[in-house]
Amino acid sequence: MLIVVSAVLFALTRLTPLSPARIVLGADATTEQIQAFEHDRGLDRSLPAQYSAWVAQLPRSGFGQSYITGRSIDLELLESLPVTVELVVVTFLLTLAGAIPLGLIAALTEDRWPDHLIRMLSLMAVSVPGFWLALILIRVFAVRLGWVPPIGITPFAEGWHAHLASLVLPALSIALYYIGALSRLMRAAVIEVLGQDYVRTAHSLGLSRGLVARYVVKNALPPFVSVAGMSFGYMFGWAIIIELVFNIPGLSRALLTAITQRDYPMIQATVLVVTAMFIVSNLVADLIQRLINPRLRHA
């Protein structure tokens, strides 16, 4: 998958008519200077030759150097990636903390008022655009109430309370959508398991509610874990938009700056890192699913 993404991305970035030399050298650059810039970086070669050279350099020198800053792209990613990863991890934890209990409550109170209320709120959560929700949260909790900073990330050196407080609104802006979506999935999975014959048999045999609930949750988790794992990967895409709204110095700033400046190596590296995160999160979700459900180990 990484190979396909990298090849398509490589071709798309080079289909743009404006050469990065125009941005780096300025509008007054001569034709000779532009040709020399493109020759030094191999931009005057054929597309397959450029892609082969780029792939060949990865094991030796990583993603190379930025056209604009001249710095190592690996170092720039090491500076911005942890910020995005931390935001996504906090978002994911908030999602699990909200989706699992809400899904369970909705399933156990099926067709009663808690179930109706949770389903209505989850529908609202998945219907509201993330960037608009982020602006509303900033307006209410940061500007009007002053509970948290409106933008940016407070450095950890100023205290972990302040640091986490600055992550709350960006994480909530992403998590509310997934809480709505995953709580509905958890509700449906639990209701399906509650209707199984072995659950009714367990109740008729007088097994404790706690023991029955344990088996119900265990059997309802595999589909939830699978979708939650994919959601973790998708959160990196959401984070790029939300980081822009909150002016967070994560991958979004690196990617958007690279796009506006035609910094091809930086664009390729950033998108590949996000794609790799998506693949890894799916693999981890698959492994966890197999641990939960022994039948899948032999599938």
Side-chain angles (χ1 to χ4, degrees):
M1 184 175 178
L2 276 178
I3 295 174
V4 174
V5 171
S6 66
V8 172
L9 181 64
F10 196 91
L12 288 176
T13 53
R14 279 152 180 80
L15 289 177
T16 55
L18 183 63
S19 170
R22 284 288 181 191
I23 298 173
V24 176
L25 301 177
D28 297 331
T30 63
T31 304
E32 290 75 17
Q33 289 174 319
I34 291 174
Q35 289 175 345
F37 179 93
E38 293 180 343
H39 180 73
D40 291 342
R41 289 155 183 80
L43 296 175
D44 55 349
R45 302 166 68 186
S46 67
L47 200 59
Q50 290 184 49
Y51 181 71
S52 301
W54 180 71
V55 171
Q57 79 162 19
L58 289 177
R60 297 195 310 270
S61 55
F63 289 114
Q65 294 181 326
S66 165
Y67 286 171
I68 306 301
T69 64
R71 296 184 63 207
S72 166
I73 291 175
D74 295 359
L75 291 178
E76 293 203 13
L77 288 178
L78 284 175
E79 292 173 358
S80 57
L81 181 60
V83 178
T84 301
V85 170
E86 184 182 19
L87 173 60
V88 170
V89 169
V90 173
T91 300
F92 190 68
L93 293 177
L94 282 176
T95 300
L96 295 183
I100 293 176
L102 287 177
L104 283 172
I105 293 171
L108 296 175
T109 59
E110 184 181 6
D111 290 334
R112 285 180 277 168
W113 72 264
D115 179 32
H116 295 314
L117 177 63
I118 292 172
R119 282 196 291 163
M120 183 183 69
L121 293 176
S122 63
L123 181 62
M124 291 173 61
V126 299
S127 304
V128 177
F131 68 92
W132 186 80
L133 179 62
L135 295 175
I136 296 296
L137 292 175
I138 291 174
R139 174 71 179 173
V140 174
F141 294 102
V143 176
R144 185 172 292 274
L145 298 176
W147 290 352
V148 290
I151 59 173
I153 294 290
T154 304
F156 203 81
E158 296 184 17
W160 65 272
H161 289 92
H163 180 71
L164 287 179
S166 65
L167 280 171
V168 168
L169 292 189
L172 267 181
S173 303
I174 307 171
L176 286 178
Y177 171 86
Y178 288 101
I179 289 174
L182 292 178
S183 64
R184 293 163 69 91
L185 175 66
M186 189 69 187
R187 173 187 179 275
V190 172
I191 288 176
E192 182 180 351
V193 174
L194 286 173
Q196 299 291 321
D197 291 338
Y198 75 89
V199 176
R200 287 193 288 268
T201 303
H203 281 301
S204 64
L205 291 175
L207 294 180
S208 66
R209 288 188 176 183
L211 184 61
V212 175
R214 177 183 167 189
Y215 284 108
V216 168
V217 172
K218 183 178 179 180
N219 287 301
L221 276 179
F224 179 86
V225 170
S226 177
V227 178
M230 286 192 292
S231 301
F232 185 81
Y234 284 124
M235 286 176 186
F236 281 91
W238 277 74
I240 288 177
I241 299 172
I242 296 302
E243 283 179 357
L244 182 65
V245 175
F246 285 92
N247 194 27
I248 296 173
L251 284 178
S252 69
R253 180 179 295 179
L255 178 61
L256 294 174
T257 304
I259 290 174
T260 55
Q261 296 179 334
R262 303 291 195 278
D263 196 349
Y264 296 159
M266 193 67 194
I267 297 173
Q268 292 158 195
T270 308
V271 175
L272 280 183
V273 166
V274 173
T275 305
M277 292 292 178
F278 180 81
I279 294 173
V280 170
S281 64
N282 277 279
L283 289 175
V284 172
D286 188 55
L287 290 174
I288 294 175
Q289 200 174 5
R290 287 172 183 271
L291 288 174
I292 295 174
N293 189 350
R295 288 174 296 180
L296 294 177
R297 299 173 197 169
H298 308 290

